[in-house]
Amino acid sequence: MANTFKYLNKLPQNLRSITTTNTNKDAWLSKLFVRKIEPTKESHSRMLSDKEIIYSLQTHNYRPDSKNAYLNNVKNTVDFIKAQDALGKDVELVGSWTVNVGDQDQALHLWRFTGGFEKIDVYNKVLGKSEEFQRLNEEQGKIVRSRHLQYLLAFSYWPQILQRSPKNIYEIRSYALKPGTMIEWGNNWARAINYRKNNDEAFAGFFSQIGRLYNVHHIWCYANLTARKETRESAWRSPGWDECVAYTVPLIREMHCRIMVPTEFSPTQ
């Protein structure tokens, strides 16, 4: 217990008050770290997402000397996919960005598949038979250093994804959670998102299904960096926001953010 209270003395005052008002060790540990989640036979995806829509997030690291060639290749690929009658409007690009602050020489592309994994199977079958798509893919392979693909579900409590204009900046905040904490994360953010709706900055919120697991991505939209600063400071002045942060921070193994700008062919600007 001596080591425990030595640790508590290093905590911020607001977290210290949560713990020291409880004389029972188990009680304050449960409040400080994670609340108890009852066992369930429901999958986490069913409990956190209520839509039969799958999103894919493509992360590409392109060669520093090949940005223009890379973006031209992606645009041609997007146009080719749009022209496939077999896919119709069930496969669509939601957003396309290059990273301005964070991982340099990186681009992210967000696609929506209406119809779940069945539509993704159709997509893979159609493009797998296309020589033109294979040519575009091979061309891209010569100008990128690495590529990563994740399949995601949208959190049901996030606002509906809406296209933005005129041109904005976007922030993607990516979190690697401790295994088994996704429901706890959802419980807290279902409340926390209410503190971030005033300025319409919430663009999208996802959790991973295939790819790197226990990953969460929150995407925010701002007019500029100054607006981002003012919006985030406003959230901290809202009673209850600090408590939501206090409960979610212990669930995180790793986190990082990137500031992104839309490409010229991105549906959302």
Side-chain angles (χ1 to χ4, degrees):
M1 288 296 290
N3 289 335
T4 297
F5 285 104
K6 181 179 179 181
Y7 169 77
L8 290 177
N9 288 332
K10 296 181 180 180
L11 290 174
Q13 185 61 44
N14 63 330
L15 286 183
R16 216 179 301 166
S17 63
I18 293 175
T19 62
T20 54
T21 54
N22 293 278
T23 57
N24 183 280
K25 181 175 68 174
D26 292 335
W28 65 253
L29 277 175
S30 63
K31 281 195 171 185
L32 178 60
F33 294 103
V34 293
R35 300 172 194 171
K36 184 178 180 181
I37 302 297
E38 294 299 326
T40 176
K41 294 183 180 180
E42 289 271 10
S43 70
H44 288 185
S45 59
R46 286 292 180 187
M47 296 177 69
L48 294 169
S49 183
D50 59 4
K51 301 178 179 68
E52 288 299 320
I53 298 176
I54 306 295
Y55 292 85
S56 75
L57 181 63
Q58 298 173 326
T59 303
H60 296 166
N61 294 294
Y62 52 82
R63 282 175 23 197
D65 61 351
S66 302
K67 181 177 181 179
N68 290 337
Y70 166 77
L71 291 176
N72 185 63
N73 170 273
V74 175
K75 183 180 184 304
N76 290 339
T77 303
V78 170
D79 291 342
F80 174 80
I81 293 172
K82 287 181 179 179
Q84 302 308 300
D85 293 335
L87 302 179
K89 295 182 178 180
D90 292 337
V91 180
E92 58 182 327
L93 182 69
V94 175
S96 177
W97 306 271
T98 57
V99 175
N100 184 266
V101 181
D103 298 315
Q104 297 293 291
D105 307 314
Q106 187 177 84
L108 289 86
H109 312 290
L110 181 67
W111 291 81
R112 175 165 48 211
F113 294 83
T114 303
F117 284 109
E118 291 182 8
K119 179 55 65 175
I120 293 177
D121 287 337
V122 173
Y123 169 89
N124 289 333
K125 184 176 181 180
V126 170
L127 298 189
K129 293 180 178 179
S130 168
E131 292 183 3
E132 176 63 14
F133 179 79
Q134 298 305 321
R135 184 191 67 79
L136 288 167
N137 195 45
E138 289 175 6
E139 177 183 277
Q140 186 182 107
K142 297 176 182 178
I143 51 181
V144 297
R145 294 180 289 112
S146 63
R147 292 180 282 195
H148 181 258
L149 172 65
Q150 276 184 312
Y151 288 130
L152 313 168
L153 288 176
F155 285 112
S156 59
Y157 52 80
W158 270 69
Q160 181 181 0
I161 297 176
L162 299 175
Q163 294 181 4
R164 310 296 178 90
S165 63
K167 202 159 188 175
N168 299 281
I169 65 169
Y170 291 77
E171 177 180 14
I172 181 168
R173 297 177 72 87
S174 300
Y175 305 87
L177 304 186
K178 298 175 182 177
T181 61
M182 189 64 72
I183 295 297
E184 179 71 2
W185 181 273
N187 286 346
N188 281 285
W189 266 98
R191 294 185 301 116
I193 194 65
N194 294 315
Y195 299 103
R196 301 296 303 273
K197 289 182 177 179
N198 293 338
N199 297 300
D200 198 31
E201 71 266 24
F203 180 74
F206 305 106
F207 60 100
S208 60
Q209 285 284 284
I210 300 178
R212 297 188 183 103
L213 298 179
Y214 283 98
N215 272 198
V216 168
H217 302 288
H218 292 172
I219 304 178
W220 308 93
C221 179
Y222 305 102
N224 48 49
L225 288 174
T226 300
R228 172 187 179 274
K229 173 180 176 291
E230 294 171 350
T231 299
R232 289 177 58 79
E233 289 178 351
S234 175
W236 280 103
R237 290 193 293 269
S238 301
W241 171 254
D242 58 342
E243 180 184 345
C244 291
V245 173
Y247 279 122
T248 55
V249 166
L251 310 179
I252 301 169
R253 292 190 294 110
E254 183 182 350
M255 61 183 289
H256 70 290
C257 78
R258 288 159 285 180
I259 302 297
M260 311 182 296
V261 294
T263 63
E264 64 175 19
F265 53 85
S266 174
T268 187
Q269 292 289 315

